[in-house]
Amino acid sequence: MQRRFLTASILLTLAALTLTTTVAFGQKSHTPPTPAQQIANRVARLTALLTLTTAQQAQATTIFTTEQTALAAVSANMKTARATLQSDVEANNTSGISAQASQIGTLTAQEVEATAMANGAFYAILTADQQMKDKNFGDGARGFGGRGGGFGGRGRRN
């Protein structure tokens, strides 16, 4: 009888630990920021680094929103092109591979262009003093490359 009680006690304790662990891990789930939040965070960081005025913050938000919109469209097309390329590789479809490689090259150029245009437009709204600060930060202030790419690149996301 005592052994049964001990076994039941151990099982109850294990169940409680499992439930506690599940709840603890469930609370740690993180929702990634929305594009609007990412832009707001970027503008806040640039404001802190370059002392942007309220007008410059509004302009930067518009510039980076336009960039994000362009990059979202390119990203969706890139995902499709990469999936099609994978299918063409598996089918040994050489003409399809060539077509998708060209498409991916064009889309990559569009990514670089959208990022560079946004960075150029942002740089143009800065005062001479802010431009000097920006140059001292190198790629860090404007965030060339977004998520891990080099100058003008966006890094691989798909």
Side-chain angles (χ1 to χ4, degrees):
M1 177 107 153
Q2 192 174 14
R3 182 181 237 180
R4 223 181 264 173
F5 177 73
L6 185 59
T7 303
S9 221
I10 291 171
L11 287 175
L12 188 57
T13 302
L14 286 175
L17 280 172
T18 301
L19 181 61
T20 302
T21 303
T22 302
V23 170
F25 282 116
Q27 291 175 349
K28 291 188 183 228
S29 67
H30 174 69
T31 304
T34 65
Q37 290 168 329
Q38 291 173 351
I39 292 165
N41 292 341
R42 185 176 181 185
V43 171
R45 182 176 53 83
L46 289 166
T47 298
L49 291 171
L50 303 173
T51 319
L52 299 179
T53 66
T54 304
Q56 287 173 316
Q57 290 173 36
Q59 289 174 296
T61 298
T62 300
I63 290 165
F64 298 137
T65 299
T66 300
E67 173 193 26
Q68 178 61 39
T69 301
L71 290 174
V74 172
S75 180
N77 291 334
M78 184 71 82
K79 188 173 188 175
T80 300
R82 286 188 174 135
T84 303
L85 176 62
Q86 182 61 38
S87 297
D88 289 339
V89 166
E90 291 169 0
N92 194 27
N93 177 358
T94 56
S95 64
I97 291 169
S98 293
Q100 292 313 309
S102 292
Q103 178 66 12
I104 290 169
T106 298
L107 292 168
T108 301
Q110 290 173 9
E111 283 181 325
V112 171
E113 180 182 13
T115 300
M117 295 288 274
N119 285 323
F122 175 73
Y123 191 77
I125 68 170
L126 299 178
T127 65
D129 183 51
Q130 290 168 326
Q131 288 177 352
M132 185 59 67
K133 284 182 190 176
D134 183 66
K135 286 180 183 178
N136 289 335
F137 286 116
D139 291 350
R142 281 182 306 253
F144 279 128
R147 291 179 257 174
F151 177 86
R154 297 289 293 177
R156 184 176 171 141
R157 296 181 308 287
N158 299 328

